[in-house]
Amino acid sequence: SMAWSDWETVVGDGFDFEEIRYEKKWHDGLEGGMARVTIDKPDKYNTMTLATVDEMFRAFYDANHDTSLGAIIVAGAGKNFGAGGDVEWEKWGLREAFYNRYPHNRLIRSSRKPVIAQVQGYCLGGHNHMAYCCDMTIADDTAKFGQAGPKVSSPADGFFVPYLVKVVGAKKAREMWMLCRRYDAGQALDMGLVNAVVPAGQLEAEVDKWCEELLSVSPGCVEILKATFDQEMDGYEEMGII
């Protein structure tokens, strides 16, 4: 049977990353391959700062311009996808983020290639809205989703707040953002927050299967479809600074 190659870590030429791992692999039965961008700070629950997002931007830029790739995976190292923004950093860094139009969701929206979130464990705050802004989300049964902003006085506005209405509906979206409840993988599947849930240990294999399907159709058509779907977010742009 046709198989995927091993992941190849991309290094050199500006890819000597400290906060992420950037890898590519190819399938010997399909023309294209895929890239994986993994936030690699498991001891800090993969929390994000502007430095993390800057490294993600460089990886995404490369993946979007590599014509041999048909999909991009966003992942988190260790037991958790991630717990959002680094609150200690945000005390002073949020101003910097606002001035620089904090771009991790925009990376997903402006990507030419479809982006799949590979979620295990905690998927909270900025990681939750990054995941639901991805084209598809695959989770394992350890996943727990939710927002945290109002609990930790971390403000959020911009297109990704109202976009959740498109994903799960207005009432559920406001509940999630305003009450900061946690939702397990089964609840996330029921509300349409994720596409599929698999047992722990099977997550990467499941993501591989979805990527195989993506790579078996026309990449040009998929790019046009992604851009067309993402157009609905363009009207939100002027609402916020992020």
Side-chain angles (χ1 to χ4, degrees):
S1 62
M2 300 297 184
W4 288 96
S5 66
D6 291 331
W7 286 106
E8 297 177 15
T9 303
V10 183
V11 293
D13 294 328
F15 297 123
D16 297 313
F17 296 128
E18 295 182 4
E19 309 233 339
I20 70 168
R21 278 199 322 272
Y22 179 42
E23 303 158 296
K24 300 178 184 180
K25 71 176 180 180
W26 288 266
H27 194 282
D28 57 14
L30 298 165
E31 283 189 39
M34 60 182 175
R36 183 169 67 185
V37 178
T38 304
I39 300 175
D40 193 12
K41 302 159 74 175
D43 55 325
K44 293 187 175 181
Y45 289 88
N46 297 321
T47 52
M48 289 181 279
T49 67
L50 270 186
T52 319
V53 178
D54 179 64
E55 291 188 5
M56 291 177 70
F57 174 83
R58 282 183 272 153
F60 264 77
Y61 185 89
D62 179 79
N64 276 298
H65 290 80
D66 186 335
T67 55
S68 73
L69 303 177
I72 302 170
I73 298 164
V74 175
K79 295 181 178 179
N80 302 288
F81 185 65
D86 186 326
V87 177
E88 284 301 306
W89 172 84
E90 283 183 358
K91 286 179 184 176
W92 293 95
L94 268 181
R95 289 186 302 176
E96 183 187 356
F98 286 165
Y99 296 148
N100 286 279
R101 302 180 71 83
Y102 198 55
H104 68 295
N105 291 308
R106 189 170 293 170
L107 278 179
I108 311 297
R109 188 169 69 96
S110 60
S111 173
R112 292 169 55 187
K113 314 284 174 77
V115 185
I116 297 176
Q118 176 178 305
V119 177
Q120 79 284 3
Y122 288 125
C123 180
L124 305 176
H127 282 79
N128 182 49
H129 54 76
M130 179 169 67
Y132 73 63
C133 284
C134 286
D135 297 281
M136 285 166 264
T137 301
I138 314 299
D140 75 15
D141 55 16
T142 69
K144 288 188 171 52
F145 300 84
Q147 288 308 129
K151 273 190 175 179
V152 295
S153 299
S154 175
D157 68 346
F159 71 88
F160 59 88
V161 177
Y163 177 66
L164 184 59
V165 172
K166 300 281 190 180
V167 181
V168 300
K171 299 298 184 182
K172 209 69 182 175
R174 291 173 192 234
E175 172 193 311
M176 178 178 284
W177 271 95
M178 294 180 182
L179 300 185
C180 302
R181 290 180 178 173
R182 302 277 174 88
Y183 306 89
D184 64 27
Q187 291 171 307
L189 187 63
D190 288 343
M191 74 172 85
L193 195 65
V194 303
N195 293 84
V197 176
V198 296
Q202 297 179 25
L203 181 59
E204 189 170 336
E206 184 69 15
V207 171
D208 284 354
K209 289 179 190 173
W210 285 66
C211 286
E212 284 176 36
E213 287 191 54
L214 266 175
L215 293 170
S216 69
V217 298
S218 163
C221 288
V222 170
E223 283 193 22
I224 292 167
L225 280 169
K226 176 166 168 54
T228 305
F229 278 118
D230 288 345
Q231 270 184 317
E232 71 177 354
M233 290 183 247
D234 290 346
Y236 299 145
E237 191 73 21
E238 70 280 358
M239 292 180 56
I241 50 177
I242 300 182

